[in-house]
């Protein structure tokens, strides 16, 4: 038994004086070590866990490994809390098959350094930035790479703007990507484990994973050898065999600022008056320039200008205008002819602003075709038939135009083609995640779980 005496104060402070004694009927006193065994055991265990705690908190030389350690420690707390506090079900659990994505934390030279130029996060190739930002805050993100299904490699390759013409110069792309892969493979084992097959890249410019703006050069260079096993999110996609899509790929829309779209619609509602019958603003050569045997837009835009330049039904402008979205929202039909590559930002802008896209790019594969009913909201005209545009569009206007316009007003379509800062159910980043969840067969974690 223990007898507690009053607190006693001396120069060293307060203490509690304790006295151990036996009752009359108690058993004979046990040896000293045995009597204090519990105290010794408690002290030993406390010292062991304290030493282990200090050991786990030793700084690491690798920034990637720091992330893993800090996450494993935070998991202890979060799991303990989850057992005692009712949790809301995660969106990821059902709709995305509990898919987890690890986002590499690369040195700033691969991504954030490029953001010093504001155009980097706002131009038509900026989906590489938007997807990265959204994943950083997404419910699918995991800080523990050992539990990841996919690994996102955030390298911005379209933000190197030429001082000559202001367009993205991507000649550095292959070297930058190769350097990033060397970095992640030397820091962590996951790239080498799968030879990159569960790693995801973004290639948001003309010919995607071939990293060149001219098709013949892109085809000749092909996809970098080190990326051929990976998954590439790219704006380029065609329905025929092409070396620049000869890789596991997901076709994504080009980037259009949702803020700009919202601003335009606040001034002109999507169901407002449309006084422009056919609209196009962009590069159109009066006499197509032969660039080493290549004609811009395969002469399609030149033919449109030649045939309809003086047609009052056609509103055709060759020069840039910052407020051109205000023209789209006033238009019935918006021409979306190919440029150097088949895809165009006008596809997204037209749908977002309620103008019927007229797609003139033979064999194009459109983004999120399983979600966006392109055949119900757009028209497709063969490149060889551009001279018949006037007649074709007049026929549509006289028959099923109202049905197409009604379909276009569905806000789900606008949401599916726009990237936001936070992942929203049904937005473009969400659609990317849905497409990735269909490829869980490439996941090392999922394969391991299914075979267990």
């Amino acid at each position: 038994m223990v007898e507690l005496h009053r607190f006693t104060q001396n120069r060293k402070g307060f203490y509690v004086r304790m006295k151990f004694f036996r009752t009359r009927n108690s058993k004979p006193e046990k040896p000293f070590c045995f009597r204090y065994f519990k105290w010794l055991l408690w002290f030993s265990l406390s010292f062991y866990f304290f030493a282990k705690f200090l050991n786990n908190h030793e700084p690491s030389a690798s920034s990637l490994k720091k992330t893993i350690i800090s996450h494993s420690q935070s998991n202890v707390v979060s799991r303990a809390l989850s057992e005692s506090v009712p949790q809301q079900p995660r969106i990821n659990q059902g709709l995305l098959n509990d898919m987890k994505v690890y986002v590499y934390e690369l040195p700033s030279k691969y991504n954030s350094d490029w953001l010093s130029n504001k155009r980097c996060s706002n131009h038509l190739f900026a989906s590489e930035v938007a997807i990265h930002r959204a994943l950083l805050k997404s419910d699918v993100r995991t800080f523990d790479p050992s539990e990841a299904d996919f690994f996102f490699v955030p390298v911005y390759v379209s933000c190197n703007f030429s001082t000559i013409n202001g367009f993205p110069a991507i000649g550095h792309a292959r070297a930058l990507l190769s350097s990033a892969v060397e970095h992640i493979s030397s820091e962590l084992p996951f790239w080498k484990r799968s030879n990159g097959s569960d790693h995801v890249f973004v290639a948001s410019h003309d010919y995607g994973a071939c990293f060149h703006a001219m098709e013949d050069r892109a085809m000749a260079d092909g996809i970098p050898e080190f990326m051929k096993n990976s998954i590439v999110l790219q704006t380029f996609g065609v329905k025929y065999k092409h070396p620049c899509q000869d890789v596991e790929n997901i076709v994504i829309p080009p980037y259009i600022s949702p803020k700009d779209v919202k601003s335009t619609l606040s001034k002109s509602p999507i169901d407002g008056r449309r006084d422009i019958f056919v609209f196009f603003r962009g590069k159109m050569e009066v006499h197509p320039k032969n660039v080493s045997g290549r004609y811009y837009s395969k002469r399609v835009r030149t033919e449109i200008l030649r045939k309809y330049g003086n047609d009052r039904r056609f509103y055709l402008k060759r020069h840039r205008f910052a407020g051109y979205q205000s023209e789209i929202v006033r238009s019935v039909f918006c021409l979306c002819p190919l440029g150097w590559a088949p895809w165009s930002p006008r596809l997204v802008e037209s749908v977002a602003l309620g103008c019927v896209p007229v797609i003139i790019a033979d064999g194009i594969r459109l983004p999120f075709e399983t979600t966006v009913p392109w055949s119900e909201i757009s028209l497709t005209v063969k490149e060889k038939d551009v001279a018949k545009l006037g007649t074709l569009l007049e026929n549509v206007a006289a028959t099923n135009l109202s049905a197409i316009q009604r379909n276009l007003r569905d806000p789900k379509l606008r949401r599916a083609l726009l990237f936001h800062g936070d992942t929203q159910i049904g937005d473009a980043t969400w659609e990317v995640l849905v497409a990735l969840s269909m490829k869980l067969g490439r996941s090392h974690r999922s394969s391991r779980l299914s075979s267990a």
Side-chain angles (χ1 to χ4, degrees), residues 384-403:
K384 67 180 181 63
D385 291 335
V386 290
K388 304 175 185 177
L389 268 174
T391 303
L392 292 172
L393 298 182
E394 287 285 3
N395 288 339
V396 172
T399 54
N400 60 336
L401 175 61
S402 59

Side-chain angles (χ1 to χ4, degrees), residues 235-250:
T235 44
F236 171 74
V238 288
K239 296 178 180 177
Y240 50 87
K241 186 173 176 58
H242 196 288
C244 296
Q245 64 177 11
D246 192 17
V247 64
E248 193 73 22
N249 66 86
I250 296 170

